[in-house]
Amino acid sequence: MSTLFVSIAVAISIIVIIVLTSSLKLKAFIALFIVSLFLAFVTLPAHTIVTTIKEGFGSTMGSIGLLIILGAMIGIILDKTGATISIAGYILSKTGENRSARALGITGFITGLPIFCDSGFIILSGLAKSFSSRSKQAIAFMATVLATSLYSVHCLIPPHPGALAAAGIVNVNIGHLIVTGMLFAIPGALAAYLWSKWITGRRSYPPAKNIGSGNIVRSNDHPPVFLSFLPIVVPLILITIRSLLVLIDREGTTLVSKVFYFPGEPVFALSVGVVLGLFLIKDKTIESFNSVFTEAIEKAGPILIVTAAGGMFGMVITATGVGESVGKLLAGTNLGLLVPFFLAALLKTAQGSSTVAIITAASFAAPMLPMLGLGSEWGRLMAMLSMGAGSMSVSHANDSYFWVVANFSDLDINTTLKVYSSATLIMGGVVFFFIWAASLFIL
């Protein structure tokens, strides 16, 4: 089968997914399943079609399933117990009310590590309104700061599903991805903060309507700050220690490596976070625990299915060999990290889902990475981060998160596009610039 025919078939498949999910509003899983079958039918040998589809779905589920479920459990616990509000109140007490936007950004960044961005925004949107009302700063500014701080870690760092699935496709160490992803997410969140502050300062955007004194931050019903931080901080510390030890002692022969290797495995580290989170629940009964676990599993289920379907589509693309063919054409062009970045950015802007964008881009780009000079361990990591940066750009009207930000902040569409959407474009570009700059010294 000719390379041209396969390339056209893959391009048509991607366009069909965009049309089905964006224009016809078909559920992402159904769209991915139908298109995967179509692409496999027209490009693969008959006896490999079912095997390829099952392998893509199953391998993705196997690699990310536990991490997504455990991350969802931590997120639900932080939400239901009011731990996120305790964290926000503590950060606000340190920054001062005149710096409430910074407090909101830091809160979003920290709580966004285990919590999906849409859930995190819904949980914290009341704080954004309260801070805006009390400080008389524009709600468009406050909402964008919160939205982009959550979004920066969502697109780059596991246990968020897109980053997890793509890491498996590109064969990137998850611990290394978490550590480096956090480092690159910081300038992205900061750039979005500065941009949204500048653009809302150019004209008179109103603050949120007065919604009260905002005592929600100082309520005695919320858990202590120290306990609130533990489910987030301890897993990150364990994973970071293991990742650093792996870089220093690759053979894992030292006593320190042996002690921290297993606790630093992401599945175990997140399990520790879940256990620590249980201490936040006041009613420590099996019924209360089961209620949290049930809600987390129900929330994780649809995410798992869509992500695994993305892996299924990605496996079919990989099996066609189109990535290797395109890689040969691009070999020697010195485009390097620009290829995975632009692939993810194009898919994100066109169809809206960051998860689908990064998984599809990873499946397309993985076979061509060696030919782009990105076949090493660090090269794959930089390529993975570049796709994460691309999956930020641009969040607009075809993205469900865009509507969460607009509706829960009482913003009109034009304002959300001008402030929030433009901030995601700036954020993605800045993150990619820092990744590219770092690659000059690493690769």
Side-chain angles (χ1 to χ4, degrees):
M1 193 172 294
S2 71
T3 300
L4 178 61
F5 176 82
V6 174
S7 300
I8 293 173
V10 171
I12 291 174
S13 298
I14 293 173
I15 292 170
V16 170
I17 287 176
I18 293 169
V19 172
L20 290 177
T21 56
S22 297
S23 300
L24 301 181
K25 307 299 182 184
L26 188 65
K27 290 293 185 181
F29 170 76
I30 302 299
L32 288 164
F33 181 68
I34 292 172
V35 174
S36 297
L37 278 176
F38 161 77
L39 182 60
F41 183 78
V42 299
T43 60
L44 301 181
H47 67 279
T48 65
I49 293 175
V50 175
T51 303
T52 302
I53 288 175
K54 289 168 63 177
E55 183 182 347
F57 189 91
S59 62
T60 304
M61 186 73 78
S63 64
I64 68 172
L66 284 174
L67 293 174
I68 289 179
I69 292 171
L70 292 170
M73 287 180 180
I74 295 174
I76 293 296
I77 290 170
L78 294 177
D79 173 19
K80 295 300 180 184
T81 59
T84 52
I85 308 302
S86 292
I87 292 171
Y90 173 78
I91 294 172
L92 182 64
S93 70
K94 298 301 179 182
T95 61
E97 195 163 302
N98 60 329
R99 297 186 180 92
S100 54
R102 300 178 191 180
L104 198 59
I106 296 170
T107 302
F109 191 94
I110 293 173
T111 59
L113 293 169
I115 297 177
F116 301 136
C117 60
D118 51 354
S119 300
F121 192 89
I122 292 170
I123 294 167
L124 297 170
S125 59
L127 286 181
K129 290 181 179 179
S130 176
F131 288 178
S132 172
S133 174
R134 290 156 61 182
S135 66
K136 304 305 179 185
Q137 297 188 72
I139 182 59
F141 171 48
M142 288 289 186
T144 300
V145 168
L146 175 60
T148 52
S149 61
L150 288 161
Y151 197 47
S152 63
V153 291
H154 182 91
C155 293
L156 288 173
I157 303 170
H160 300 296
L164 263 178
I169 294 169
V170 183
N171 191 24
V172 169
N173 182 285
I174 291 177
H176 296 169
L177 178 59
I178 290 174
V179 175
T180 54
M182 287 179 61
L183 293 176
F184 287 116
I186 291 172
L190 180 60
Y193 170 87
L194 294 173
W195 170 263
S196 55
K197 183 177 183 180
W198 177 77
I199 197 170
T200 53
R202 295 181 64 194
R203 53 167 291 185
S204 180
Y205 285 96
K209 296 178 181 177
N210 195 328
I211 59 172
S213 62
N215 288 331
I216 185 173
V217 176
R218 295 181 291 274
S219 173
N220 292 326
D221 294 333
H222 300 138
V225 173
F226 178 74
L227 290 179
S228 299
F229 272 108
L230 285 181
I232 302 174
V233 173
V234 171
L236 290 176
I237 291 175
L238 292 173
I239 292 169
T240 301
I241 291 174
R242 180 183 181 275
S243 298
L244 294 175
L245 288 173
V246 168
L247 292 175
I248 298 169
D249 179 24
R250 286 185 172 275
E251 301 299 324
T253 55
T254 64
L255 177 61
V256 177
S257 296
K258 292 177 180 178
V259 169
F260 283 98
Y261 187 89
F262 182 65
E265 281 283 352
V267 170
F268 186 88
L270 287 177
S271 298
V272 171
V274 172
V275 173
L276 293 172
L278 296 179
F279 288 98
L280 299 173
I281 301 175
K282 288 185 177 181
D283 183 17
K284 294 178 176 59
T285 62
I286 294 297
E287 290 75 14
S288 297
F289 294 162
N290 279 340
S291 175
V292 170
F293 296 150
T294 299
E295 186 169 347
I297 292 169
E298 288 175 350
K299 178 176 180 57
I303 296 168
L304 280 170
I305 291 171
V306 172
T307 307
M312 174 179 63
F313 179 55
M315 180 66 75
V316 174
I317 292 178
T318 302
T320 65
V322 68
E324 294 178 5
S325 300
V326 174
K328 291 177 182 177
L329 294 174
L330 295 174
T333 59
N334 295 321
L335 291 176
L337 294 172
L338 282 170
V339 175
F341 171 74
F342 278 122
L343 275 173
L346 178 64
L347 288 162
K348 165 63 181 177
T349 304
Q351 55 80 45
S353 170
S354 296
T355 300
V356 174
I358 194 171
I359 292 173
T360 307
S363 303
F364 199 90
M368 67 174 75
L369 293 182
M371 286 162 276
L372 292 172
L374 302 171
S376 66
E377 183 177 350
W378 278 103
R380 295 193 305 273
L381 179 60
M382 292 291 105
M384 171 67 229
L385 291 167
S386 296
M387 288 183 278
S391 72
M392 297 176 183
S393 310
V394 176
S395 175
H396 60 96
N398 64 358
D399 183 2
S400 60
Y401 187 48
F402 172 92
W403 295 105
V404 169
V405 174
N407 292 332
F408 280 85
S409 307
D410 298 324
L411 296 175
D412 61 74
I413 296 175
N414 286 337
T415 299
T416 312
L417 285 169
K418 289 177 181 177
V419 183
Y420 164 71
S421 294
S422 63
T424 64
L425 175 62
I426 296 296
M427 181 166 62
V430 167
V431 171
F432 176 71
F433 171 79
F434 276 90
I435 293 167
W436 173 79
S439 72
L440 298 179
F441 300 94
I442 296 174
L443 301 181

